[in-house]
Amino acid sequence: MYNIMLVEDSIEIRTELSNVLIKEGYKVTALTEFINLPELILSTQPNLLLLDINLPGVDGFTLCTEIRRSSNVPIIFVTSRNSEIDELMSITLGGDDFITKPYNIAVLLARIAALLKRAYSQTASGDVVKHGGVELHLLSSRMEYDSKSIELTKNELKILHYLMIKKGTIVSRSDIIEHLWDSEMFVDDNTLSVNITRIRNKLESLGITNYIQTKRGQGYMV
């Protein structure tokens, strides 16, 4: 059962959403206190976060930034703020979706289901993707090899995951960029190179060399 956390200061909206989500078969964690939120959210480890922007003490943008430093939990901003800059900031800072209030509850449920499917479809038999002795733990953003483990950043996890599900085939740099960010507007070619280098360094720290092969002029392959 997926655990959805509500970070919403309106008691009325929080109660309505909780009741609807529980009826849909989700476990719900509805926060009622708004102090030490990053620590509280990370320790709870929900499967998805519904996050308001206007919160007492800290705004949703700041909170999203804090969470993204160490977690890939799917985040949907649900907010009364409806400007294009609000939506742009939400996605740029690491949000996965943006819905404005008042929302259509059926649409919100569909967005939640779709995001959960995208986030966890590779984890039907767990959260682990394996190839060549490397285990990629998607929910905890870790890579394991020979009983040793190392944490990955969000981008490192996405890049390595994409290469692993395409194992045995050459994946072009443009395909990786497009897959990760949907548009090359959000990243340049150098950023991808930096992330590939960091992944290789982490692989080598686990004792793995030449795991990500460079195919000159074509891309990468594992």
Side-chain angles (χ1 to χ4, degrees):
M1 178 185 297
Y2 289 117
N3 180 12
I4 297 177
M5 176 175 281
L6 307 183
V7 186
E8 166 62 64
D9 62 333
S10 166
I11 297 175
E12 185 175 293
I13 294 175
R14 201 165 61 223
T15 302
E16 177 196 41
L17 273 177
S18 294
N19 292 337
V20 169
L21 291 169
I22 289 171
K23 285 183 180 178
E24 290 295 315
Y26 296 111
K27 178 182 178 182
V28 176
T29 303
L31 300 184
T32 57
E33 301 290 338
F34 298 90
I35 55 174
N36 299 323
L37 286 180
E39 295 83 357
L40 182 58
I41 293 168
L42 293 173
S43 64
T44 304
Q45 296 187 333
N47 297 111
L48 185 143
L49 202 62
L50 296 182
L51 178 60
D52 195 3
I53 294 176
N54 297 323
L55 296 167
V58 61
D59 65 79
F61 293 144
T62 301
L63 187 54
C64 182
T65 301
E66 290 287 330
I67 293 168
R68 280 291 176 255
R69 288 175 181 164
S70 55
S71 174
N72 299 306
V73 60
I75 296 175
I76 298 178
F77 279 90
V78 183
T79 176
S80 57
R81 292 169 59 161
N82 58 5
S83 72
E84 291 183 350
I85 190 65
D86 286 325
E87 183 171 3
L88 179 61
M89 284 187 64
S90 298
I91 301 303
T92 302
L93 293 175
D96 297 281
D97 205 346
F98 183 91
I99 296 177
T100 57
K101 301 172 185 172
Y103 46 78
N104 180 301
I105 193 65
V107 172
L108 177 59
L109 289 172
R111 297 277 191 92
I112 290 172
L115 184 52
L116 286 170
K117 183 178 180 181
R118 287 202 303 272
Y120 302 112
S121 61
Q122 299 296 326
T123 66
S125 59
D127 69 325
V128 183
V129 178
K130 301 179 181 179
H131 174 61
V134 175
E135 294 186 359
L136 197 61
H137 295 254
L138 303 177
L139 297 182
S140 57
S141 194
R142 289 180 299 110
M143 174 171 58
E144 289 188 2
Y145 179 78
D146 196 22
S147 301
K148 293 178 289 187
S149 175
I150 193 167
E151 291 188 2
L152 300 171
T153 66
K154 178 182 179 182
N155 284 349
E156 291 165 358
L157 179 71
K158 286 187 173 181
I159 291 169
L160 187 55
H161 181 216
Y162 192 55
L163 290 174
M164 289 177 74
I165 61 177
K166 298 275 188 180
K167 58 188 177 185
T169 61
I170 299 173
V171 185
S172 71
R173 295 175 63 88
S174 60
D175 279 352
I176 297 173
I177 292 172
E178 187 171 347
H179 171 73
L180 297 179
W181 291 276
D182 294 328
S183 165
E184 296 185 32
M185 289 176 59
F186 297 101
V187 64
D188 58 28
D189 206 53
N190 185 59
T191 303
L192 178 60
S193 296
V194 170
N195 277 279
I196 290 288
T197 299
R198 288 175 177 166
I199 295 170
R200 283 175 165 154
N201 289 338
K202 290 186 176 182
L203 285 162
E204 288 180 5
S205 73
L206 297 179
I208 313 165
T209 57
N210 299 319
Y211 188 77
I212 300 177
Q213 303 171 40
T214 298
K215 299 296 182 182
R216 187 172 298 278
Q218 300 179 78
Y220 302 102
M221 184 172 74
V222 301

